[in-house]
Structures are given as C-alpha cells and as structure tokens.
Amino acid sequence: MAGNPTQPTQPTSRTRSWWGWGWADAHPGDAECAALGALLPGTLARPLPVPRVGDLGIGDPSVEPPRSLAHLVTADPGDRAAHAMGKAYRDVMRALRGRPGRIPDLVARPTDDRGVADLLDWAGERRVAVVPYGGGSSVTGGVEYRGDAHRAVLSLDLTAMGRVLEVDVEGRAARIQAGTLGPSLEDQLRPHGLTLRHFPQSFEFSTLGGWLATRAGGHYATGHTHIDDFVQSLRVVTPAGTSSSWRLPASGAGPSPDRLFLGSEGALGVITEAWVRLRERPRHKASAAVAFTGFHDALRAVRALAQSGLSPANCRLLDAGEAALSGASRDGSAVLVLGFESADEPVDALLARAVGLARSYGGRYGGTAGPDGAKGGAKGGSKDGGARVADPAGDAAVEAWRSAFLRMPYLRDGLARMGAVAETFETAATWDRIPGLIDAVRTEVGGAALKATGHPATVNCRLTHVYPDGAAPYFTVLAAGRAGDEVALWDDLKAVAGEVLHRYRATITHHHAVGRDHRPDYDRQRPEPFALALRAAKAALDPRGILNPGVLVD
C-alpha cells in the first residue's frame, strides 16, 4: 500500500560555508588552525584569512533568463560563488587563494520536471552550459565549469525538489525527488518505520540525485555498498526527452536503462526522482574494535571476514597512522572497527563470531564472555540477554573513529588555511593486489611529497568497503604545501597516485565519481568500445552539448 507524500522538514537556520566544507560555524578558528599547522613542519606561520565573496569581483551575468523562467533563477553573487565549485581540497585552496575559476552566471532552482525541461530547452537555444547540482559536496570537480566553449553557465540546483512523494510500505520502497538531502530523506521515511540507510560521509550535505549520478558508496562496508543496489527505477529529464523506467524488482529485458544514467554525473540527463528500495529501521546494533600489531595480518583478517558470509555492516580497517589520527589507537596498532545491525533479531552472536575470526589472525580484543559463552563486548548490545558492553577501551576506539570521521573534513579545511596539503583519494582492487598497492601508494606518494617540499609527508590508509574478491582502500595525505602553489602540488601528488593505481589495475574511483579531476585516468580505465557507446549516448541525448561539459566525455 502506498502512503501519502511526506513533507520535508523545515530547513535549519545554520549557514553553509560557501568556500569550505559543511556549516560555516563549525570551521576551526584561527588558533585551532595554527595548532593543526604546528603538527606539520613547513606550513605557514599564520592561517590564510577566510575568503569573502565580495573579494571575488563577481560581475554581471552574461545572459538573462526569459521572463517565464525568471522566478526560478537568481544572479545573487553569494549564491553564484557557492555554486562555483565542489568541496575538494583543490576547491577549498582555490577559494582561499581567491582563484575559484569560472563563476556560474545564474543559479536555478526548479521545483518540478517541467521547470527542469524548460530550463534545458532555453539553455540549449542560448548555448548555456548546465551543471546539475545537488548538495555541492563533489570532491572530483563534478559541479564546476571549466573552459570557455559556452556563452554562459547555469548551475541547476535540484534541492527545491526535496520530497518523498510516495511510500510503498508493503513493498519497502519509496518514490523520492532527487534533490532530497540525506537528513531530510531519513526524516520523511522515519514515520513509516523505514530507512534507505545510505550514509556516505557527505550524508548531511548531499542528495539522493547526487548519490545516483555518482554511484556513491554508503553506509554498508559489505553487501549493499553502493546506491546502485537500492534502485528500482529512475526518472531522468534530458534535452531529448524524459526517460522513465518501470518500477520492477528485477528484469532481464536487455541492457538496463537505469544503468545508463547511474554514474552519468549529469552529462546525459538530470535525474529528477527515483524509486528506491528501503528496509526496516535497525533495532539491534553491536560494535567492537579489534587491534592488530601488523597491518598485513589485519588485511588477512578482513579478507577472511569478507569471505565468511557474516556480512558486517561496518568493517573499517584503520592502519596505525589513521587509527592514531582518529584517536582510535595510541600504541601504534592498526584497528578494525566492526559493526552489526538488524531490524528483527539480536546481532551479538554475529559480532562474537567476527571478533573470534579476527583474533585468529592475531587481533587483540579485551571483551569478556557474554551469557552465551561467546566472546562479547559489543557497543550497543541487544536487550535480550546477549553479550553486554565489556570492553570500554574498544568502545572508546569505536566512538573516537565515528567522531573523527565526521569532523575530519572541517580539520582538512583548517589545515588548508595553513597552506598544507590535506586530502584523500580512494580506489578498489582485488585481494591479490591490495597489499602491494597500499605499500606502493605510501612509498611513492610520500616520496614525491618529500622531494617536492623537503618535508616528510603522512600517507595513511583505511579500508572502507570490503568484498569477497577485493577491497576499497582509502588514503589520507598530509604534507606541507608550497606557498601560493598548493593546488599544483596536490595535482602532482594525485598524478603519482594515479600512476600507481593504473599499474596495479585499481579503479580510479570506488565511490567519489569521475568528475573532471579523474578524467585522464578514467579514460585509461574504460574499454574503448564502451567509450564509443558513451559518446554516442551523449550525442543522442544532449545534441547541443550543454550538460556538464567535460564530465565523462568531451
């Protein structure tokens, strides 16, 4: 039975940062920035000032919308500046240095499919580039315009389309508008006892449409790791017409139309709504932290867990540097953060089995036996007499990791104000390549940073998602910058990393999309016959080449 549409929650009164991550009031102050910089030799003596929109010298737009669309469009300088870039390190640094790139001429906020279609028609006629925009959290150059081939640039912000339109409780699915931000989406599903349970790090500042357009990785470390797994059907507005696939549990009828648009990054059309699979909200949760002296022993333990069929919701492995950075460990140990959850039955026994498996590979765990005789110590253990909280140190490690996970983007921006390079990149490869890949990235990226700056760099690694046949390593790079040339330094380090990934046949992106920053490596990764098909699809659906030019294809 389909439920009534749910009204989105009222927007918060807090202000988003136009130049950096998240909320403006959550950014580190000058003193905290200086303290962060002191941890990295070679950074600036004092933090760069917080940039101001008024210093950008934003001029009048090159075009004006027709009167029929004027109510959807704004030329406000602050709005335009906030839509000029995503939130990657290179974006933050460009804003701090007053070099944000091309500012969009207009920002549009359509409220329905008709508005999207009318804006695309007008843009095509006037040779205006259209850059679809959700929460603006792209870290790959996916929401900016580069070049000068178009007369003007329109940022197409979908967040005015932010409603859960229909809920099928029996079928555990919902029809949701693409501009719905993560927190609002969950708030609208909560009264139905259902959840999408897709929680990328950008959850608070990203939208369903953005997740779909970038094939985002989410909450689950095993099993349903990507948003793709939750899609029943898509509705996409293109310059050539609207594509609306049937809502089906599965189909073998030719190539999937949804697969054409999943990961298309706004280059083929504008995703406006989707039917997505839901699940009951979990009531039973349990988590634990297991420490390892040797990182490669921990890798073997994680591989065994991924192949065990236990399917933990969380199976994040932090190397010693990452564990220390997050506060999960202070003795040089690698830390495996495990978590299980369920809507209908206790999960303590599953956690106990996972911990036991990790211990067989040398993991250290301080929990005590629960009432069932199994090794316990679960954070948030169930209430039916299963294993209780018995490892305060492990609980503290889990909570430290969670807190650091959410705080880290703000600290990155604080380090950027000190002229440091502080950024991440991720990949995925098969298990036979994982150990060598991780070692090579640490050695070669760290060596390149030392050569370029004269100061040692930190290259940490964690596994964010694991599969029976491989894993997704996620790297953090911290290094002194080159004053005034920080973006070029990061681009050089990223190029070194890209060469390592290519050598190990590891994907250029596991869950952060291609955008413009990853284009050269993506072109090397994809098969040429598929590139031909993609170019043909682009030409057919976007014949005037206005949709997100430069993303995926030329």
Side-chain angles (χ1 to χ4, degrees):
M1 176 179 291
N4 293 325
T6 306
Q7 294 297 326
T9 53
Q10 293 301 311
T12 178
S13 59
R14 298 177 76 183
T15 302
R16 286 280 301 274
S17 171
W18 75 267
W19 63 273
W21 182 262
W23 301 114
D25 59 12
H27 278 262
D30 287 359
E32 187 178 358
C33 289
L36 290 169
L39 301 176
L40 280 177
T43 55
L44 300 176
R46 60 182 61 87
L48 295 169
V50 173
R52 299 181 302 178
V53 172
D55 294 336
L56 299 179
I58 299 175
D60 294 333
S62 301
V63 293
E64 292 186 6
R67 186 173 302 175
S68 61
L69 296 175
H71 65 292
L72 301 176
V73 178
T74 177
D76 175 74
D79 230 353
R80 292 163 63 191
H83 286 74
M85 300 177 297
K87 302 303 181 185
Y89 168 81
R90 67 189 324 276
D91 301 327
V92 170
M93 205 69 238
R94 286 153 63 200
L96 288 169
R97 291 296 185 183
R99 301 191 290 265
R102 183 161 177 177
I103 305 290
D105 296 85
L106 301 168
V107 176
R109 291 183 174 86
T111 58
D112 54 28
D113 284 17
R114 182 70 265 164
V116 173
D118 289 346
L119 285 163
L120 293 184
D121 287 345
W122 167 76
E125 293 169 357
R126 300 299 299 273
R127 201 161 53 84
V128 174
V130 178
V131 180
Y133 189 101
S137 60
S138 170
V139 293
T140 61
V143 294
E144 67 177 271
Y145 179 86
R146 298 177 189 171
D148 55 7
H150 292 78
R151 176 184 179 187
V153 179
L154 172 74
S155 179
L156 187 67
D157 187 319
L158 274 293
T159 52
M161 300 172 66
R163 297 174 61 203
V164 173
L165 299 172
E166 193 174 351
V167 179
D168 178 358
V169 176
E170 292 181 354
R172 294 186 184 176
R175 182 166 66 95
I176 304 175
Q177 289 183 306
T180 310
L181 288 157
S184 178
L185 185 154
E186 288 295 331
D187 286 346
Q188 293 180 69
L189 293 177
R190 189 170 287 107
H192 304 278
L194 297 172
T195 175
L196 178 60
R197 206 112 180 98
H198 182 80
F199 297 135
Q201 190 176 32
S202 61
F203 170 77
E204 193 175 6
F205 308 108
S206 55
T207 62
L208 174 64
W211 302 340
L212 296 167
T214 60
R215 296 183 64 198
H219 168 74
Y220 291 102
T222 64
H224 299 304
T225 59
H226 278 69
I227 193 66
D228 313 33
D229 302 318
F230 300 99
V231 174
Q232 281 189 329
S233 69
L234 295 180
R235 185 171 175 84
V236 187
V237 177
T238 82
T242 297
S243 171
S244 185
S245 61
W246 288 10
R247 180 193 169 200
L248 296 167
S251 174
S256 166
D258 296 335
R259 287 284 172 184
L260 178 64
F261 296 107
L262 286 169
S264 62
E265 303 190 29
L268 302 180
V270 180
I271 298 172
T272 58
E273 65 180 58
W275 272 98
V276 293
R277 299 179 177 93
L278 307 174
R279 60 187 63 207
E280 292 184 50
R281 305 189 73 82
R283 293 182 296 127
H284 304 275
K285 298 181 183 180
S287 60
V290 183
F292 289 83
T293 300
F295 184 70
H296 286 272
D297 289 336
L299 285 176
R300 287 188 283 271
V302 172
R303 184 185 66 203
L305 282 164
Q307 296 172 347
S308 68
L310 292 173
S311 296
N314 196 0
C315 190
R316 261 60 170 194
L317 174 61
L318 319 178
D319 71 4
E322 193 77 5
L325 189 65
S326 67
S329 172
R330 292 180 174 83
D331 63 359
S333 297
V335 174
L336 172 60
V337 179
L338 288 169
F340 288 83
E341 59 186 49
S342 171
D344 53 10
E345 61 182 0
V347 293
D348 301 289
L350 290 173
L351 179 64
R353 287 173 59 192
V355 168
L357 183 57
R359 293 178 70 213
S360 72
Y361 284 86
R364 305 189 308 278
Y365 178 66
T368 56
D372 60 356
K375 198 69 174 175
K379 175 68 175 177
S382 56
K383 302 177 180 179
D384 65 342
R388 299 297 190 219
V389 175
D391 184 13
D395 297 341
V398 172
E399 291 305 321
W401 169 78
R402 286 175 177 153
S403 298
F405 180 73
L406 297 175
R407 182 63 178 158
M408 194 59 67
Y410 293 102
L411 299 182
R412 178 207 65 178
D413 291 357
L415 283 167
R417 289 187 61 199
M418 298 304 298
V421 169
E423 186 59 303
T424 62
F425 65 93
E426 34 71 51
T427 183
T430 52
W431 281 117
D432 59 316
R433 297 183 175 95
I434 288 291
L437 167 66
I438 293 174
D439 290 346
V441 167
R442 286 173 175 156
T443 299
E444 297 183 35
V445 174
L450 176 61
K451 182 178 179 180
T453 67
H455 297 282
T458 296
V459 182
N460 296 333
C461 177
R462 67 180 184 263
L463 300 189
T464 60
H465 300 74
V466 295
Y467 307 93
D469 52 347
Y474 191 109
F475 296 93
T476 300
V477 180
L478 302 172
R482 291 193 302 246
D485 201 27
E486 297 90 352
V487 171
L489 173 60
W490 170 242
D491 288 345
D492 290 344
L493 297 181
K494 190 70 177 287
V496 172
E499 288 302 320
V500 175
L501 301 187
H502 188 69
R503 192 166 72 240
Y504 279 84
R505 296 182 68 82
T507 182
I508 189 56
T509 178
H510 172 262
H511 55 275
H512 278 169
V514 175
R516 292 163 181 82
D517 295 347
H518 289 158
R519 263 299 301 279
D521 293 286
Y522 173 66
D523 287 354
R524 292 200 294 175
Q525 178 181 327
R526 68 183 176 195
E528 184 55 30
F530 179 75
L532 291 172
L534 191 58
R535 294 187 194 106
K538 173 73 171 176
L541 296 173
D542 181 23
R544 289 170 168 165
I546 62 170
L547 282 173
N548 221 1
V551 169
L552 297 183
V553 294
D554 294 323

